[in-house]
Amino acid sequence: MHLRYASEFDHSGIAEAARRCMGAMVDAHVDFAWEPLVNLPHVGRVRSATAPDSSAWLRARRSLPDSRETLVLHTVPRTWRRLVAELSPTRVVGHSVWEAEIVPQAWLSQMECVDELWVPTQWNQKTFQSAFDVPVHVIPHVVSSMVPAQPPIDLPPDVFVFAAVAAWDWRKRPDRTIEAFLEAFTHRDPVVLVVKTTDRPIAWHPPLDPPHAQIQRLIDRYESPARVIVDTGSWTDNEILGLLDRADCFVSLTSSEGWGLGAFDAACRGAPVLITGWGGQVEWLGSDYPGLIPFSLVPNDHPDREIFDPGVPWAYADLSRAVDMMRDVVSSTTSEVRTAATHLAPRLRASFSSQSVGRLIREAIGNSGTDARQNPPSTPPHVEGSVLILTPIKNAARLAEGYVDRILALDRPRGGLSVAVLASDSDDGTVDAFDREFERLRAVGIEARIHERDFGYRIPDGVPRWDPAIQLERRRILALSRNHLLFAALEDQEWVLWIDADVVSYPPDLLVRLVATGGDIVQPDCVRTPDGPSFDLNAWTDAGRWHLDDYRNFEKVDLHAVGGTVLLVRADRHRDGLIWPAFLYGNDHPRKRRDPLALGRPQIGEIETEGLAMMAYDMGIGCIGVPGIQVVHE
């Protein structure tokens, strides 16, 4: 069973939960494609043609829909029927969550199209089982694997930090959390409440002033209020996690939660959590957790009556008890909730790890997820456009025959195939050898040309070509040779396929499969032996930490740098100005390597192939790696 996973990619809780779920599927070797969704005002969730702010590893999983797929809809159900009609899957799984014990009437008709449901808690499972006659599986949310980043606010080290992370939504009741804090403390107390919220009310009763204004009115009611820091700006997920990492306590007087992702993340990092004791959060906290704030069940008064049906109950937290609990967690280092938080964190990290949830997903889909290596993406039989193969050569006479053999074995593009090489600084008869072998190409209608340009560079005798001392100059000359060849040979072709002469094996359908990825810059995995370690280590992610052999379970990956052993480039990208930098490019580039040991030289900045990838990024062009396509280097 191949899955198509549809989700949003913003910083909302539901989008973050979906990202973590997909990460768990990667860990469980479940083959899936990603379908990005965007939430349009007055329209709802719709398919998005682009996902520019999404994670690179997610963008690498985009592909065209296939009617044989199982579609997983991890989003609010308001537009499920339309998405199913557009994608026409074989089977539909609804991945949803709800914050009450009765499914909204407005959702029922939208959710009738599903064959199965996934929900994060048993509490939700009972709710959905009472509304639908389909299997309902519990797939919990996943512990974040991100590295915390410093939040963009100033937090003195000697104050006790309460954190409240929530949209300014009536269900979340951040105003009551702030009120409880102001009741509990004054400006003399070494405490601060950090409120990370939205810049506008999502769903609120009048007055609909911006959150800052509403919070200021609350603060003005107190003669000597404790410090409240409000931030409504755009934070990264890592910065949110950094706040929770710094927080001494997470607090929420929410009326209802299906899971409570902010509280969950804080608890996973060992912070005490004070939260209303009703909803999905009770399931992972435990009903005896001492941080559960007492409450009363009352008819909800959410302003969005389309989803919160009148009369459906939710919780109203006891504010006075919340005040006492907040004071206690500050005053006593041995308070019950602090002790419980210390013991709870490792259990949460183990129970809801990516690996644990990934196994549950495999079970839910009947262990029928497949590995991308076993099922490579289907590809069209031909490349429609014309292709120019380019190769810089130097003292490569012995490679000429095999080079031509492999080109003759390639599946030909319908628009035509042409070949050009640039010979430089050679003394072994390279030009004559290639000219003789190129007659075989010309005999079958493949245009083949040889350009010559010497740069006066030779590797010193006895020095291996990977020696750090010569890297900068060697790579500079190689960049120059590539650029000279490109400008001399490129005419009206649609694709450029760069192939090094010492690549000794690649599949006949190489062009077809690379073009089928839909990328502008595409690289297969270059190895010395099939399924062996990557040989072309210039293709990497995360400042050189990961190479294509680390992504063997991925169909595609967004590369941060590329190599030149085999590289497909859409020709228009070269025409747009994409070259091989013969100089250190991107000293301030966000993706460059900063460790001289990783670079193999003291100079910081990227050159030649890695420099091309940095330049492509600056031009808004992505680089795709395809681990499932392997080429062999001698």
Side-chain angles (χ1 to χ4, degrees), residues 470-547:
I470 66 169
Q471 285 312 296
L472 203 57
E473 182 63 8
R474 187 183 75 84
R475 300 292 300 283
R476 185 183 77 83
I477 297 299
L478 187 50
L480 289 175
S481 66
R482 291 186 186 277
N483 289 331
H484 279 265
L485 174 58
L486 174 67
F487 292 124
L490 183 61
E491 295 176 342
D492 59 353
Q493 295 90 353
E494 295 181 44
W495 296 97
V496 175
L497 180 65
W498 294 89
I499 300 181
D500 280 357
D502 42 11
V503 172
V504 297
S505 176
Y506 47 80
D509 62 351
L510 175 68
L511 271 172
V512 174
R513 293 169 66 184
L514 293 178
V515 170
T517 65
D520 284 341
I521 302 173
V522 190
Q523 173 162 1
D525 189 12
C526 182
V527 297
R528 295 292 290 271
T529 58
D531 294 321
S534 292
F535 172 79
D536 192 345
L537 299 183
N538 294 335
W540 44 256
T541 67
D542 302 293
R545 182 180 181 187
W546 307 110
H547 300 93

Side-chain angles (χ1 to χ4, degrees), residues 328-343:
D328 180 65
V329 76
V330 171
S331 63
S332 173
T333 57
T334 59
S335 68
E336 277 191 276
V337 70
R338 283 200 188 191
T339 302
T342 301
H343 295 298

Side-chain angles (χ1 to χ4, degrees), residues 381-559:
H382 293 283
V383 175
E384 294 296 331
S386 56
V387 177
L388 170 65
I389 295 177
L390 294 180
T391 304
I393 54 177
K394 179 178 180 177
N395 282 339
R398 63 183 178 83
L399 300 172
E401 182 178 359
Y403 177 84
V404 170
D405 287 343
R406 289 182 289 279
I407 292 176
L408 288 172
L410 268 177
D411 292 341
R412 308 280 178 82
R414 286 200 172 115
L417 184 66
S418 53
V419 179
V421 299
L422 184 137
S424 61
D425 300 308
S426 298
D427 54 13
D428 68 340
T430 288
V431 172
D432 290 340
F434 272 81
D435 194 40
R436 284 194 303 271
E437 295 299 329
F438 276 6
E439 288 302 323
R440 293 194 287 147
L441 297 177
R442 297 167 185 140
V444 296
I446 298 175
E447 182 182 357
R449 290 180 289 166
I450 300 175
H451 301 272
E452 296 183 63
R453 175 66 152 80
D454 287 341
F455 297 97
Y457 176 78
R458 284 179 173 81
I459 296 175
D461 291 340
V463 176
R465 69 176 184 178
W466 55 84
D467 190 299
I470 66 169
Q471 285 312 296
L472 203 57
E473 182 63 8
R474 187 183 75 84
R475 300 292 300 283
R476 185 183 77 83
I477 297 299
L478 187 50
L480 289 175
S481 66
R482 291 186 186 277
N483 289 331
H484 279 265
L485 174 58
L486 174 67
F487 292 124
L490 183 61
E491 295 176 342
D492 59 353
Q493 295 90 353
E494 295 181 44
W495 296 97
V496 175
L497 180 65
W498 294 89
I499 300 181
D500 280 357
D502 42 11
V503 172
V504 297
S505 176
Y506 47 80
D509 62 351
L510 175 68
L511 271 172
V512 174
R513 293 169 66 184
L514 293 178
V515 170
T517 65
D520 284 341
I521 302 173
V522 190
Q523 173 162 1
D525 189 12
C526 182
V527 297
R528 295 292 290 271
T529 58
D531 294 321
S534 292
F535 172 79
D536 192 345
L537 299 183
N538 294 335
W540 44 256
T541 67
D542 302 293
R545 182 180 181 187
W546 307 110
H547 300 93
L548 280 171
D549 56 352
D550 295 306
Y551 293 96
R552 290 277 164 83
N553 291 322
F554 286 62
E555 182 179 313
K556 294 186 291 187
V557 61
D558 181 22
L559 289 173

Side-chain angles (χ1 to χ4, degrees), residues 44-313:
R45 279 73 179 176
V46 299
R47 297 165 66 198
S48 178
T50 59
D53 298 325
S54 61
S55 303
W57 65 273
L58 270 183
R59 293 199 304 274
R61 285 190 168 267
R62 298 200 62 185
S63 66
L64 294 175
D66 188 327
S67 61
R68 296 167 295 180
E69 295 172 321
T70 290
L71 173 64
V72 182
L73 294 164
H74 194 152
T75 186
V76 176
R78 285 175 170 172
T79 57
W80 280 9
R81 292 170 68 94
R82 178 170 59 202
L83 292 170
V84 170
E86 290 177 0
L87 295 167
S88 301
T90 300
R91 185 173 176 81
V92 181
V93 176
H95 197 165
S96 189
V97 62
W98 182 231
E99 293 85 13
E101 294 179 321
I102 300 175
V103 177
Q105 290 292 316
W107 285 10
L108 296 180
S109 63
Q110 287 289 334
M111 298 177 73
E112 287 176 350
C113 61
V114 304
D115 303 290
E116 183 179 318
L117 284 162
W118 295 355
V119 296
T121 61
Q122 294 179 3
W123 186 67
N124 264 183
Q125 186 182 43
K126 294 176 183 177
T127 297
F128 285 97
Q129 281 178 334
S130 66
F132 301 99
D133 187 22
V134 298
V136 183
H137 298 285
V138 176
I139 306 294
H141 291 334
V142 181
V143 176
S144 175
S145 60
M146 289 187 298
V147 177
Q150 181 68 31
I153 55 173
D154 181 29
L155 291 174
D158 56 346
V159 298
F160 189 101
V161 176
F162 287 93
V165 179
W168 198 260
D169 184 286
W170 194 256
R171 173 176 65 83
K172 299 282 191 177
R173 291 313 301 261
D175 60 322
R176 301 198 72 230
T177 297
I178 298 166
E179 184 178 5
F181 175 78
L182 294 171
E183 288 286 341
F185 307 105
T186 70
H187 76 279
R188 292 183 294 273
D189 295 304
V191 297
V192 61
L193 172 64
V194 179
V195 181
K196 179 67 193 78
T197 189
T198 48
D199 61 355
R200 59 184 178 83
I202 304 301
W204 203 262
H205 287 289
L208 298 177
D209 295 341
H212 268 293
Q214 297 190 45
I215 293 170
Q216 190 58 53
R217 281 199 298 270
L218 264 175
I219 294 173
D220 290 344
R221 287 165 36 191
Y222 295 85
E223 186 174 334
S224 56
R227 185 183 179 195
V228 178
I229 298 175
V230 183
D231 197 298
T232 60
S234 178
W235 290 20
T236 67
D237 295 331
N238 307 74
E239 289 169 337
I240 294 286
L241 204 63
L243 170 62
L244 300 180
D245 206 39
R246 169 63 180 88
D248 298 290
C249 182
F250 184 95
V251 60
S252 172
L253 272 68
T254 180
S255 285
S256 63
E257 295 289 349
W259 179 268
L261 199 60
F264 175 69
D265 285 346
C268 287
R269 309 197 73 78
V273 171
L274 304 179
I275 191 169
T276 310
W278 186 82
Q281 67 272 23
V282 176
E283 199 158 304
W284 51 264
L285 282 169
S287 58
D288 58 349
Y289 183 75
L292 297 178
I293 303 170
F295 64 93
S296 301
L297 280 180
V298 300
N300 84 85
D301 57 345
H302 197 281
D304 187 349
R305 308 312 288 176
E306 182 182 345
I307 55 173
F308 277 94
D309 297 326
V312 172

